[in-house]
Amino acid sequence: MNALKQKTLDLLWEEPYKIGHWVGFKDLTELHNGWLRSFLFGSSTQTLLAHRGSYKTTVLSLFLAIYPVVRPAENVLFFRKTDTDVTEVIGQAEKILESPVMRKIVRNLYGVDLQLEKATGSEIHTNLCTSAKGISQVLGLGIVTSITGKHADVVVTDDIVNIKDRISRAERERTKMQYMELQNIVNRTGRIINTGTPWHKEDAVSMMRNVSRYDCYSTGLIGRDKLELLRKSMSDSLFAANYELKHIADTDAMFTNPVFSADETLLYDGVAHIDAAYGGEDSTAYTIIKRRKDGQIIGLGKLWHKHVDDCIPEIKRVHEKYRAGSVLCETNGDKGYLAKELQGQGFKVNTYSEKMNKYIKISTYLRQSWPQIVWLEDTDPEYIDQILDYSEFADHDDAPDSAASLIRETERGKIKVLDRRKLGIY
């Protein structure tokens, strides 16, 4: 073996993360080198749980680029939550493969020029593969895609569990069923590599084997000041899941187990509420509810991290999509500014002056009604998460405040519902 080939093999075995440095990922450390080596040369199923911002997906993209070179006869099936998520990572792997450093590595190892015979954003196949399998070396799929008949030497999952799995039992069960199916497509001598974040004690992460955890305190990748800023920018549960890799127990939670429906017609002719943000860390929350004769309450919630003025076009779109009637907003903070803006946009507006303590309002009206509420699946996950995370000392309460205010006012019968059918709007 010539010296150049041996030097290249030593690089791939001992310090593959340096390839990341050469293609622009300068922040990769010895920690990432360990992750990458375990992905490339491990022989058993493994699960890497690492905090957001730890570059775990960057390491995966390096793996997807390097593996077809060091194991050209094997194939990899790569899964993320959706097809769009897949394209992001596969596209990055393709760019790494097209880099001068990877072309030099291939020339040193095999004495040929690297050619990408397939580079579609979901598939990678090179001229190095001599297998007669007739399948791409790397194929990326959304986790809900049909995988019947597929087989792989290595199955990789990345973030197939997300915030939807926290708030929806149906989503958790869907993901778990698909994850169980992955066990059937791994070849007899193959393995599964999982990376991601746990969101719920009963999500698919709970089924994954050989787990290694790297929280925000153990990696040293995020300074304490930055961590405190991140902690203040999101709910406690989001920070715990994304950075501490743990769940906040639901034992003492005021709100648990939200129920969802896909039937948007159930919400038609409902009434809406806007909890407006005018700057700072507050969000603009928008809620629609429809009270049914059987006592059930159908709800929809949206949340935007921006000034209410910037949200009005999107609010109008959602309002019209779900055929909502009147919209309710308080006048305490803005002296009626938002009401006038909405009226100018053609909304039927009801106003009120808030006099009730926020915690008492939420813990009374929203909590009492919670068992009767069915949320449309189009509800923003962050909206529901803010409700699930609510306590008297919560930093973010725009969503539960909006929902509680609307439930209270409709319960009191103070909103004049705009009946669009009677007005001949349909």
Side-chain angles (χ1 to χ4, degrees), residues 113-185:
D113 291 328
L114 176 65
Q115 295 177 13
L116 295 186
E117 296 181 352
K118 278 187 183 178
T120 65
S122 62
E123 291 184 74
I124 296 174
H125 195 70
T126 74
N127 61 322
L128 304 179
C129 181
T130 57
S131 169
K133 294 177 183 177
I135 54 179
S136 294
Q137 289 172 283
V138 178
L139 173 63
L141 299 167
I143 191 63
V144 297
T145 306
S146 173
I147 56 177
T148 304
K150 289 183 170 57
H151 294 280
D153 298 297
V154 183
V155 170
V156 179
T157 73
D158 180 41
D159 288 333
I160 61 169
V161 171
N162 63 17
I163 192 172
K164 291 183 179 179
D165 296 81
R166 186 208 175 194
I167 67 176
S168 170
R169 179 177 295 174
E171 182 70 19
R172 288 196 297 275
E173 294 306 314
R174 256 194 307 269
T175 307
K176 287 161 73 174
M177 288 293 291
Q178 280 298 96
Y179 185 72
M180 285 190 286
E181 188 63 24
L182 297 186
Q183 320 305 308
N184 299 324
I185 68 174

Side-chain angles (χ1 to χ4, degrees), residues 98-342:
E98 291 170 339
S99 68
V101 62
M102 288 303 296
R103 294 186 180 279
K104 186 174 182 179
I105 285 172
V106 169
R107 168 61 66 176
N108 292 347
L109 290 178
Y110 301 108
V112 300
D113 291 328
L114 176 65
Q115 295 177 13
L116 295 186
E117 296 181 352
K118 278 187 183 178
T120 65
S122 62
E123 291 184 74
I124 296 174
H125 195 70
T126 74
N127 61 322
L128 304 179
C129 181
T130 57
S131 169
K133 294 177 183 177
I135 54 179
S136 294
Q137 289 172 283
V138 178
L139 173 63
L141 299 167
I143 191 63
V144 297
T145 306
S146 173
I147 56 177
T148 304
K150 289 183 170 57
H151 294 280
D153 298 297
V154 183
V155 170
V156 179
T157 73
D158 180 41
D159 288 333
I160 61 169
V161 171
N162 63 17
I163 192 172
K164 291 183 179 179
D165 296 81
R166 186 208 175 194
I167 67 176
S168 170
R169 179 177 295 174
E171 182 70 19
R172 288 196 297 275
E173 294 306 314
R174 256 194 307 269
T175 307
K176 287 161 73 174
M177 288 293 291
Q178 280 298 96
Y179 185 72
M180 285 190 286
E181 188 63 24
L182 297 186
Q183 320 305 308
N184 299 324
I185 68 174
V186 184
N187 293 335
R188 192 168 300 169
T189 57
R191 61 192 170 114
I192 298 178
I193 300 171
N194 304 299
T195 68
T197 301
W199 283 95
H200 190 279
K201 61 183 178 181
E202 296 176 356
D203 63 27
V205 172
S206 67
M207 305 168 64
M208 297 174 180
R209 295 187 287 123
N210 298 331
V211 177
S212 299
R213 294 175 179 267
Y214 297 86
D215 64 25
C216 60
Y217 309 113
S218 64
T219 65
L221 295 171
I222 305 177
R224 182 166 295 277
D225 290 344
K226 177 65 174 176
L227 278 177
E228 288 308 309
L229 289 175
L230 288 167
R231 191 191 302 274
K232 292 176 181 178
S233 71
M234 62 189 72
S235 66
D236 291 342
S237 63
L238 279 174
F239 184 84
N242 282 280
Y243 294 95
E244 298 176 316
L245 307 182
K246 66 183 183 182
H247 313 293
I248 292 180
D250 289 334
T251 307
D252 300 316
M254 193 179 297
F255 305 103
T256 60
N257 300 321
V259 178
F260 293 88
S261 171
D263 187 357
E264 67 177 48
T265 63
L266 296 174
L267 191 65
Y268 290 172
D269 296 321
V271 291
H273 178 274
I274 299 174
D275 186 282
Y278 294 99
E281 296 182 1
D282 290 338
S283 299
T284 295
Y286 169 77
T287 309
I288 306 175
I289 68 167
K290 171 67 180 296
R291 290 184 176 272
R292 294 167 53 87
K293 292 180 180 179
D294 60 5
Q296 192 177 65
I297 300 172
I298 311 300
L300 173 84
K302 295 290 182 180
L303 199 66
W304 297 277
H305 301 292
K306 52 188 179 182
H307 193 287
V308 66
D309 285 350
D310 298 322
C311 302
I312 290 178
E314 180 65 10
I315 288 173
K316 190 170 185 177
R317 185 193 68 78
V318 177
H319 201 82
E320 291 176 354
K321 176 182 177 180
Y322 291 101
R323 306 180 188 181
S326 302
V327 61
L328 179 72
C329 54
E330 69 167 84
T331 57
N332 297 53
D334 65 3
K335 310 300 182 185
Y337 164 79
L338 178 59
K340 291 178 182 177
E341 286 293 308
L342 293 172

